[in-house]
Amino acid sequence: MEAAIKNVVGVYLKSSKGKESLGGKEFQSLVKSQLKNILTDTEDNDAVKTMREQLDNNQDGKVGFQEYMNLVGYLAQALSDQRCLENETQAESSTQETQAEAAANAKAEPKAEPQAAKEAEKEDKPVVEKAAAEEQKPEEEKKTDVEQEGAKAEENKAEENKAEEKIKTEEAS
C-alpha cells in the first residue's frame, strides 16, 4: 500500500511539473495516460474538461492536490463497489448452480424408500415447507437491512453515474 500511495503522489507531481496544481492540459494528459483503463471517454476532451470542472471545488480552473485526491478516492470507491457487486453476482450464480444440481440429483434418485424414511419425511415436512416458502420470497425480502441499504447505495451511485454521463453527452452536443 505504501508503494501505491507513493505512486499516486508521484503521478500528480510529475503531471503538475512541480506546480501546485494541474492546469487543463496537464489534467487532460494525466487522465489520458493514467486512467484510460478505469474511466470511459478519456479521449473525449470535452468529457475530461467536464470532469476537471466538477473536481475543481475552489473554482480556480485548476485541479489541486486535494481535488486530485478526491478523484482518486472516488475511483477507488467505484472499483471497490464494482468488485463487491461482481463477488455477489458470482456467489448468487454459484448458489443457483448448486441448487439446480441438487434438484437434478433429487430427481435422479430412486423413489423406493423404506417406511422409516417416509415417516421421518413427514416429520420434516413443516421445515421443508418453511424453507420452500422462504425460497419463494422476493429477493428484496430475503436481504438483511444492511444488504438492502447497500443495494440502495449502489442504485443511487448508478443514478449519479447516469446523470453524469447525460451531462457529458449534453455538453458534447
Side-chain angles (χ1 to χ4, degrees), residues 68-78:
Y68 165 77
M69 289 306 297
N70 289 341
L71 172 64
V72 171
Y74 171 78
L75 293 174
Q77 183 65 51

Side-chain angles (χ1 to χ4, degrees), residues 16-51:
S16 68
K17 299 175 184 170
K19 298 178 187 170
E20 288 186 25
S21 57
L22 298 168
K25 290 180 183 178
E26 291 90 3
F27 183 74
Q28 186 98 24
S29 176
L30 179 142
V31 169
K32 284 182 179 181
S33 67
Q34 300 294 320
L35 302 175
K36 63 183 175 246
N37 295 324
I38 301 175
L39 292 175
T40 58
D41 295 336
T42 57
E43 296 296 323
D44 182 354
N45 293 343
D46 291 332
V48 175
K49 180 182 177 185
T50 300
M51 183 180 7

Side-chain angles (χ1 to χ4, degrees), residues 24-150:
K25 290 180 183 178
E26 291 90 3
F27 183 74
Q28 186 98 24
S29 176
L30 179 142
V31 169
K32 284 182 179 181
S33 67
Q34 300 294 320
L35 302 175
K36 63 183 175 246
N37 295 324
I38 301 175
L39 292 175
T40 58
D41 295 336
T42 57
E43 296 296 323
D44 182 354
N45 293 343
D46 291 332
V48 175
K49 180 182 177 185
T50 300
M51 183 180 7
R52 179 175 47 88
E53 290 169 352
Q54 290 174 343
L55 289 170
D56 187 12
N57 292 331
N58 63 1
Q59 304 298 310
D60 65 353
K62 299 175 184 176
V63 176
F65 184 75
Q66 185 59 50
E67 293 163 333
Y68 165 77
M69 289 306 297
N70 289 341
L71 172 64
V72 171
Y74 171 78
L75 293 174
Q77 183 65 51
L79 285 173
S80 174
D81 292 346
Q82 181 182 6
R83 291 217 172 122
C84 288
L85 185 61
E86 288 172 358
N87 289 342
E88 287 175 12
T89 303
Q90 288 174 354
E92 287 175 9
S93 175
S94 176
T95 300
Q96 290 172 353
E97 289 173 8
T98 303
Q99 289 173 348
E101 289 172 4
N105 289 341
K107 288 180 183 177
E109 290 178 8
K111 295 294 180 183
E113 297 178 338
Q115 186 64 28
K118 288 182 182 179
E119 289 175 14
E121 183 180 316
K122 287 179 187 177
E123 291 173 10
D124 291 342
K125 194 170 186 176
V127 173
V128 173
E129 288 174 353
K130 183 177 178 182
E134 181 70 23
E135 194 64 37
Q136 291 175 353
K137 281 185 182 179
E139 285 298 314
E140 286 300 317
E141 287 182 21
K142 290 182 192 177
K143 293 181 178 178
T144 65
D145 291 345
V146 173
E147 289 172 324
Q148 288 178 0
E149 288 177 17

